[in-house]
Amino acid sequence: KADTAYVVTDDDARDVVRYQFTQGDAYFIYRGPIHPAAGLVNLLKGFSVFKKRIGSNMKMVLCGPQGDYSAAFLADLENYKFRSDVVVTGEVGPYDQVALLSSAYALVHPCRWERFGNPVMNAMKAGVPVLTAANSAMAEFTGMAGMFFDVDDYDEIGRKLILIYNDEQMRADMIGTGLIEKPA
């Protein structure tokens, strides 16, 4: 069930959050653990495809808990070509969790093993489009409000990021559908 704290925010509120976390740039967000099973390597490879083809100043925010399991990924991230466009927040308090997700351009959720779908449902409630793993519980949660990708195909992830970025009408339709769908 979606958290009642998540609501659609206005442009001014989103701008405040963007300046706090990404120096004012719009961003995609991943909300979940910084864990090898989360599919973050392919997410960043897909983000590279997006950055190379679009050349946008969009950022990627990785927001979630970290532990010993995160060390290898975070070490590899230091050598990532677009490292300056990736913001790793670690775990943040409840207020910042809501603000970050509600202000995102889109939630990108590559983890097909999410058990409850809270980030996906909260994003839909906040009017944030969702890109998520095909053939997963998240795809079922989002239905027509989501866009799906093969988590093992980073080029497809990149193409979906480009599509949501370039097609404002489709993005608006996804937001509208997400707001009227009633996730379980």
Side-chain angles (χ1 to χ4, degrees):
K1 184 172 175 162
D3 186 323
T4 57
Y6 290 87
V7 296
V8 177
T9 57
D10 63 26
D11 288 337
D12 290 337
R14 284 190 293 271
D15 285 345
V16 168
V17 174
R18 288 176 183 157
Y19 278 103
Q20 180 181 356
F21 289 96
T22 62
Q23 295 78 44
D25 294 324
Y27 58 90
F28 299 111
I29 189 169
Y30 161 76
R31 173 72 186 111
I34 309 302
H35 191 282
L40 299 179
V41 170
N42 276 349
L43 173 61
L44 291 184
K45 286 180 178 180
F47 186 60
S48 293
V49 170
F50 169 83
K51 294 296 280 186
K52 288 174 186 172
R53 292 188 188 157
I54 297 297
S56 156
N57 62 347
M58 289 283 284
K59 304 280 192 240
M60 176 66 71
V61 173
L62 306 176
C63 177
Q66 299 174 25
D68 292 340
Y69 51 81
S70 310
F73 173 79
L74 294 172
D76 289 346
L77 182 60
E78 292 305 316
N79 298 317
Y80 178 58
K81 180 177 181 176
F82 298 103
R83 174 63 183 109
S84 63
D85 293 317
V86 177
V87 176
V88 181
T89 66
E91 189 61 77
V92 296
Y95 176 81
D96 284 337
Q97 284 181 34
V98 171
L100 275 163
L101 185 58
S102 298
S103 300
Y105 191 80
L107 171 72
V108 187
H109 196 75
C111 183
R112 61 180 105 169
W113 311 118
E114 170 79 36
R115 295 186 317 167
F116 304 109
N118 291 338
V120 168
M121 292 186 293
N122 290 337
M124 290 169 55
K125 188 168 188 294
V128 175
V130 174
L131 289 77
T132 192
N135 302 317
S136 71
M138 273 52 63
E140 292 181 33
F141 289 144
T142 60
M144 296 299 292
M147 184 184 300
F148 314 111
F149 55 81
D150 177 351
V151 297
D152 297 320
D153 184 349
Y154 66 85
D155 194 56
E156 181 181 354
I157 295 170
R159 288 191 311 268
K160 297 295 172 104
L161 293 173
I162 292 167
L163 183 59
I164 193 95
Y165 180 81
N166 282 337
D167 193 335
E168 284 293 326
Q169 183 59 53
M170 181 191 65
R171 182 175 179 272
D173 291 346
M174 289 172 64
I175 291 169
T177 302
L179 289 172
I180 58 173
E181 298 238 341
K182 302 292 183 216

